[in-house]
Amino acid sequence: VEQRLGRSMADIASGLQAVVVTRGGEGSTLITGGEIIDIPAVEATVVDPTGCGDAHRAGLLHGITKGWSWADACRLASVMGAIKVSHRGAQNHAPSRDEIAGMLKDAYGLTLA
């Protein structure tokens, strides 16, 4: 994106509420309000990456629609990506709310509200 637009991510983010750059097993980077926040990945056994981006976006959008901070929404997104990558196929998993809440608490100390 930076190469195509000839602008840095920080410059791109300056006109938006936030920019989230995913980096697979390295986590993601959130740029919001002039701040750069690294979100560490949740450890997972990689089985199949198919659908991980969709799972990540689902967690991000859920958090944002619930009024969470961008950073906490990104943390939930990381949990959802970790759950997905540890299962084969794009939709062959159905994590329970308790499983998601436990992973969010273990990884980031957050409570799923």
Side-chain angles (χ1 to χ4, degrees):
V1 172
E2 289 176 318
Q3 290 174 343
R4 285 189 179 248
L5 296 178
R7 298 170 60 195
S8 71
M9 290 309 290
D11 186 40
I12 294 166
S14 69
L16 303 169
Q17 287 184 21
V19 169
V20 179
V21 179
T22 58
R23 297 179 281 112
E26 300 300 315
S28 61
T29 301
L30 166 65
I31 306 168
T32 185
E35 186 178 5
I36 298 172
I37 303 167
D38 287 319
I39 308 294
V42 175
E43 287 191 35
T45 301
V46 177
V47 174
D48 182 1
T50 305
C52 285
D54 292 335
H56 188 278
R57 276 184 295 282
L60 179 67
L61 291 172
H62 178 83
I64 293 302
T65 60
K66 293 295 184 179
W68 293 18
S69 70
W70 280 98
D72 286 348
C74 284
R75 292 177 181 107
L76 176 60
S78 185
V79 166
M80 299 311 294
I83 291 170
K84 168 45 213 103
V85 79
S86 64
H87 293 84
R88 185 155 311 284
Q91 297 180 359
N92 295 339
H93 58 289
S96 68
R97 184 174 179 81
D98 288 342
E99 179 184 358
I100 296 166
M103 289 179 71
L104 190 62
K105 181 78 169 170
D106 290 347
Y108 303 110
L110 297 175
T111 301
L112 183 62

